[in-house]
Amino acid sequence: MSANQNQTNIITPTNITVAKFGGTSVADFEAMLRCADIIKNNTANRVVVVSASAGVTNHLVRLSQADVPSNEREQILSNIADIQYAITQHFTNFEAINSEIVTLLESLRVFTDQQAANHTMKNSDEILAFGEQFSSRIFAQVLQSVGVNGHYFDVRQVMKTDSLFGKAQVDLNQLASNAQQLLLPLLNDKVIVTQGFIGSDQDNNTTTLGRGGSDYSAALLAEALQANNLSIWTDVVGIFTTDPRITDQARSINEISFGEAAEMATFGAKILHPATLIPAMRQDIPVFVGSSKEPDSGGTRIQREVNSNPTYRSIALRREQTLVTVKSPQMLHASGFLAKVFTVLAKHQLSVDLITTSEISVALTFDNPHGSTQALLTKAVVEELEQLCEVSVEHGLSLIAVIGNKIHGTKGVGSSIFDKVNDFNIRMICHGASNHNLCFLVPEADANQVVERLHNTLFTS
Ligand code: ASP
Ligand code: MG
């Protein structure tokens, strides 16, 4: 062995899985123990990314808002404390972990008081970040209790972001070099337990990546560490052909390509944060989605190449769509009209999902989760559009996306889908732009029935 090799005590682990556990997976002590077993049973699991225990982020969101009466603040702080202590009371030696929890609770109180005195988005992110700090501190100890060398790691050291509090963008280059320098060497003999959802800006202020962002954090860490696998452990046995609450015929999908899964995540399958697959695709890291309650029941493997590429893979449903139709006789043989419309939308940060056009009118849909488009598509935006054209806005619609392969190049797709639902009012059919989907709108009240009927036709022949 050369002198040089002798000095090199950093041996890069060759097989790294980043495992992410969602809020229900770390909701209580029993749930955490199940996750600890999953880690213990596969030594490739070197990095664990946790969400806040179920319910905690919602409490923190309320705590971060302006005008929370002081008695409600106290109540929320005590609810959060109860959730943590309900877990730590199961430790045989709980003094050490409880003192960490006490320190965190005290610090949370400081930020909460500051927020009550002067509400800022910056402070809001400090508050929101506590959920993951509690759960990661506790989970590291749970790992130790089952004989795994679990170590807490503050992800803010590596997950550097801009200062867009509440919706921060990660600096991928900084993350990659920080992760290689600070995180990778630890993986030889430790299992690192760290936080999803949070990061820090260039001035080391805490930031958050947006609700549900822990999946995305895990994928970013997997990419930065050039991991071999990413496992997302949740409370369902993988990705289903459709929402099992709509039809009991829905079943778990064994394997699915990145392209199809990305469409599903975008079009409403709530199981993964929509951005999760982007880093995985960039680095070609297979993603497994399974249930931490039933780790032996299989799950869904998402990767670039899959064995079968069926025309129909799944049906996604997204409710509460807003349909905006803009109409202008000026559009007849004119150029530049669409550019003007989109300039207005871009200025107000409205992101368009579906588009259909005719010679003089354009129909657009916007996603409408609580507090998004509803808030953004203000009277001011509509009035600005009205300077350009006639505008009509409709609510109460659902978007259905049939997802699969070569949908735009397969004969008979139209009749397979629409013949079965021709007694419903189907609008805004979008077919052709994507190889992987065909989308349309239906009235909200018909959505479940349409999905159920299509699922029966396309999946249970
Ligand atoms: N705890 C955060 C949330 O509830 C992030 C996550 O769980 O993915 O949104
Ligand atoms: Mg989630």
Side-chain angles (χ1 to χ4, degrees):
M1 195 179 278
S2 74
N4 195 14
Q5 273 173 318
N6 244 343
Q7 282 164 8
T8 314
N9 53 8
I10 297 172
I11 311 152
T12 307
T14 48
N15 189 6
I16 301 174
T17 295
V18 174
K20 181 259 171 179
F21 295 105
T24 51
S25 297
V26 293
D28 53 42
F29 185 70
E30 278 72 35
M32 283 197 182
L33 270 185
R34 283 193 294 267
C35 298
D37 270 340
I38 290 174
I39 298 303
K40 193 176 177 174
N41 290 339
N42 179 357
T43 50
N45 286 314
R46 315 298 301 194
V47 179
V48 179
V49 176
V50 290
S51 286
S53 299
V56 173
T57 308
N58 287 345
H59 282 312
L60 293 167
V61 167
R62 179 66 189 131
L63 211 49
S64 72
Q65 287 164 350
D67 310 326
V68 187
S70 67
N71 59 345
E72 191 184 341
R73 282 207 309 273
E74 290 311 316
Q75 187 57 52
I76 297 173
L77 285 167
S78 105
N79 291 344
I80 292 172
D82 287 349
I83 295 174
Q84 314 309 329
Y85 291 131
I87 306 175
T88 59
Q89 66 164 351
H90 294 273
F91 285 69
T92 37
N93 176 3
F94 51 76
E95 282 86 5
I97 183 69
N98 276 0
S99 85
E100 290 181 37
I101 301 299
V102 168
T103 309
L104 284 171
L105 284 167
E106 280 167 4
S107 160
L108 172 59
R109 177 178 289 280
V110 171
F111 286 113
T112 305
D113 289 346
Q114 276 175 23
Q115 189 75 327
N118 175 27
H119 180 273
T120 65
M121 285 301 286
K122 181 170 147 217
N123 209 38
S124 197
D125 271 4
E126 289 286 2
I127 294 173
L128 295 186
F130 275 88
E132 275 69 12
Q133 293 177 67
F134 287 120
S135 58
S136 53
R137 290 253 177 221
I138 297 173
F139 191 68
Q141 297 298 316
V142 175
L143 280 183
Q144 300 244 346
S145 77
V146 300
V148 173
N149 193 14
H151 272 255
Y152 173 88
F153 181 86
D154 191 329
V155 85
R156 289 171 292 190
Q157 293 179 66
V158 296
M159 193 68 76
K160 299 308 282 186
T161 71
D162 63 13
S163 302
L164 197 62
F165 298 106
K167 217 183 172 184
Q169 298 287 324
V170 175
D171 182 326
L172 299 178
N173 292 331
Q174 281 194 58
L175 169 60
S177 70
N178 293 342
Q180 294 288 329
Q181 269 172 41
L182 302 174
L183 204 45
L184 198 57
L186 302 176
L187 305 186
N188 291 309
D189 58 346
K190 296 181 178 66
V191 172
I192 291 302
V193 181
T194 196
Q195 308 78 37
F197 178 56
I198 73 175
S200 75
D201 73 3
Q202 304 306 318
D203 299 324
N204 295 326
N205 297 306
T206 298
T207 55
T208 62
L209 311 186
R211 288 304 303 267
S214 291
D215 296 340
Y216 182 47
S217 300
L220 287 171
L221 286 168
E223 177 185 37
L225 293 165
Q226 302 184 345
N228 307 76
N229 286 288
L230 168 63
S231 301
I232 306 277
W233 294 100
T234 171
D235 53 2
V236 282
V237 197
I239 300 178
F240 278 61
T241 47
T242 199
D243 185 342
R245 286 167 303 187
I246 298 179
T247 165
D248 57 12
Q249 300 293 310
R251 54 176 195 269
S252 174
I253 299 168
N254 287 336
E255 53 158 23
I256 182 170
S257 67
F258 280 133
E260 295 167 276
E263 299 274 352
M264 283 184 76
T266 315
F267 285 113
K270 288 269 153 50
I271 190 154
L272 288 180
H273 182 281
T276 309
L277 295 175
I278 299 168
M281 285 162 89
R282 276 194 301 250
Q283 188 69 30
D284 201 6
I285 302 170
V287 180
F288 171 80
V289 180
S291 165
S292 64
K293 284 200 186 104
E294 305 171 58
D296 300 326
S297 300
T300 303
R301 206 168 160 78
I302 312 169
Q303 53 199 357
R304 188 187 289 167
E305 299 291 339
V306 289
N307 289 324
S308 78
N309 294 288
T311 310
Y312 305 113
R313 181 80 81 182
S314 67
I315 304 172
L317 167 63
R318 202 152 78 174
R319 299 180 203 275
E320 285 186 64
Q321 302 296 294
T322 300
L323 173 63
V324 174
T325 309
V326 297
K327 186 171 166 193
S328 166
Q330 286 166 21
M331 215 172 120
L332 196 63
H333 308 306
S335 59
F337 173 74
L338 280 181
K340 285 180 196 150
V341 169
F342 278 91
T343 305
V344 174
L345 300 176
K347 190 173 116 193
H348 295 277
Q349 291 181 6
L350 281 159
S351 134
V352 173
D353 285 334
L354 302 186
I355 307 179
T356 57
T357 64
S358 76
E359 186 59 41
I360 63 160
S361 60
V362 184
L364 313 156
T365 68
F366 301 97
D367 194 10
N368 200 17
H370 187 66
S372 68
T373 305
Q374 196 85 292
L376 291 168
L377 192 73
T378 54
K379 220 168 140 236
V381 181
V382 174
E383 279 170 9
E384 216 171 312
L385 287 172
E386 276 171 347
Q387 310 276 311
L388 302 169
C389 49
E390 281 171 37
V391 182
S392 79
V393 180
E394 291 171 66
H395 298 284
L397 295 158
S398 290
L399 188 162
I400 292 174
V402 177
I403 291 157
N405 295 282
K406 299 207 178 78
I407 292 207
H408 65 3
T410 303
K411 286 181 189 157
V413 161
S415 60
S416 305
I417 294 174
F418 297 114
D419 283 3
K420 299 294 184 286
V421 291
N422 63 6
D423 48 334
F424 293 98
N425 181 15
I426 308 272
R427 301 177 62 182
M428 269 204 82
I429 299 167
C430 291
H431 176 38
S434 164
N435 187 355
H436 288 305
N437 77 57
L438 184 154
C439 302
F440 53 88
L441 297 181
V442 294
E444 196 86 57
D446 297 335
N448 280 11
Q449 249 184 299
V450 172
V451 170
E452 189 175 7
R453 210 180 295 165
L454 280 179
H455 193 275
N456 275 341
T457 318
L458 302 177
F459 295 93
T460 39
S461 42

